[in-house]
Amino acid sequence: MRPRPLRRALPPIIVFIVAVLLLELLVRALHVRPGFLPPPSAVAQSFVREGAHLWVALSETAQGALTGFALSCAVGIILAVLLSSASWVQRAFYPYTIFFQTVPVIAIAPLLVIWCGYGLPTVIASAFIVSVFPIIANTLSGLLSTDPALRDLFRLYGAGRFSTMMKLRLPYALPNIMTGLRISAGLAVIGAVVGEFIGGGGLGTVVSVAGRNQRTDTAFAAVLLASMLGLAMVAVVNLLSHLTLAHWHASERDQD
């Protein structure tokens, strides 16, 4: 049977608690400067001291990351479907989609500000650019790996291209799509924070300002919140994957 949620969550929670305690002891035993590496207790105090500001910044980052991720899901899947429609389309246009994977977003962030302006639009664009390629690549891989025998069967019964895509190829590619979504969920948060370094707002600005002021405890608190946002987005994708795949795919079947 599938382990209960508490049993699944307990091991990483224990590892986290032990790691925090060891880091606290190590930092204090070695007398590490708080400006270089603050103890976890100082980071916790920063949460209490600047909690209201941090939560507002988290909501701004979440808005940019989620919007960029949603755009990457829609655009990425549509592009993958179009690329899978014909081999010549894939050969002609797929190399250009690699641009989204290879472009250093921190280098073009100033251009995004020029094109999109300061604030949320730049953050959304940055999150989209960083997160769209894994969805394209994984969805396309799933669409192209559809069992040829099943495709021939659909063709034998007179199914059209649209019907074959919706009833066979997309469902067959669903595990690959979920893999792409998992990767992109975390990348969207990274892209959003990078966009905030230049475009302003959110946790990116908190980290930038805290770094200039040598408030590493606040910077660590903001980074931790960004990581928790990424984990929450991946957890939602995992839940969606379980709901859609558990009844038929081996990767989500109950395990001992």
Side-chain angles (χ1 to χ4, degrees), residues 212-237:
R212 289 197 298 267
N213 296 331
Q214 296 186 349
R215 294 300 306 269
T216 51
D217 54 343
T218 303
F220 269 85
V223 170
L224 182 60
L225 282 179
S227 299
M228 296 299 292
L229 173 60
L231 288 173
M233 291 174 62
V234 173
V236 171
V237 174

Side-chain angles (χ1 to χ4, degrees), residues 94-126:
Y94 184 73
Y96 295 101
T97 66
I98 302 176
F99 166 82
F100 293 104
Q101 178 71 9
T102 58
V103 63
V105 68
I106 190 64
I108 68 167
L111 295 177
L112 294 179
V113 173
I114 295 174
W115 296 332
C116 304
Y118 287 96
L120 187 60
T122 292
V123 176
I124 293 173
S126 178

Side-chain angles (χ1 to χ4, degrees), residues 6-256:
L6 181 59
R7 290 178 56 191
R8 292 170 61 87
L10 195 57
I13 292 175
I14 293 175
V15 171
F16 177 77
I17 294 174
V18 172
V20 168
L21 293 176
L22 289 177
L23 181 59
E24 180 80 21
L25 294 174
L26 186 63
V27 169
R28 294 188 179 277
L30 297 178
H31 303 288
V32 179
R33 290 186 300 107
F36 180 76
L37 180 63
S41 58
V43 177
Q45 291 173 6
S46 180
F47 273 116
V48 176
R49 184 178 61 252
E50 303 185 39
H53 179 54
L54 288 172
W55 286 113
V56 171
L58 174 62
S59 66
E60 295 175 354
T61 301
Q63 185 178 359
L66 289 171
T67 305
F69 177 62
L71 286 174
S72 68
C73 292
V75 174
I77 293 175
I78 291 173
L79 285 178
V81 170
L82 294 176
L83 290 171
S84 69
S85 61
S87 59
W88 70 267
V89 175
Q90 183 182 346
R91 290 194 301 270
F93 294 100
Y94 184 73
Y96 295 101
T97 66
I98 302 176
F99 166 82
F100 293 104
Q101 178 71 9
T102 58
V103 63
V105 68
I106 190 64
I108 68 167
L111 295 177
L112 294 179
V113 173
I114 295 174
W115 296 332
C116 304
Y118 287 96
L120 187 60
T122 292
V123 176
I124 293 173
S126 178
F128 168 79
I129 291 172
V130 171
S131 62
V132 69
F133 180 76
I135 297 178
I136 296 175
N138 283 276
T139 302
L140 181 60
S141 175
L143 292 172
L144 296 178
S145 64
T146 305
D147 191 341
L150 293 177
R151 296 176 62 179
D152 290 340
L153 181 63
F154 269 64
R155 190 178 300 111
L156 178 65
Y157 280 93
R161 295 170 66 91
F162 180 79
S163 179
T164 301
M165 177 62 69
M166 299 302 297
K167 296 181 179 180
L168 174 63
R169 300 186 69 185
L170 276 175
Y172 202 93
L174 198 54
N176 296 70
I177 295 174
M178 290 301 169
T179 299
L181 294 183
R182 289 188 185 94
I183 299 171
S184 294
L187 290 178
V189 177
I190 296 174
V193 173
V194 171
E196 289 169 346
F197 285 153
I198 305 297
L203 295 173
T205 297
V206 173
V207 173
S208 181
V209 173
R212 289 197 298 267
N213 296 331
Q214 296 186 349
R215 294 300 306 269
T216 51
D217 54 343
T218 303
F220 269 85
V223 170
L224 182 60
L225 282 179
S227 299
M228 296 299 292
L229 173 60
L231 288 173
M233 291 174 62
V234 173
V236 171
V237 174
N238 286 336
L239 176 60
L240 179 62
S241 176
H242 178 69
L243 293 176
T244 55
L245 300 179
H247 64 287
W248 67 275
H249 198 265
S251 64
E252 292 292 342
R253 288 175 183 166
D254 289 346
Q255 301 175 2
D256 292 332

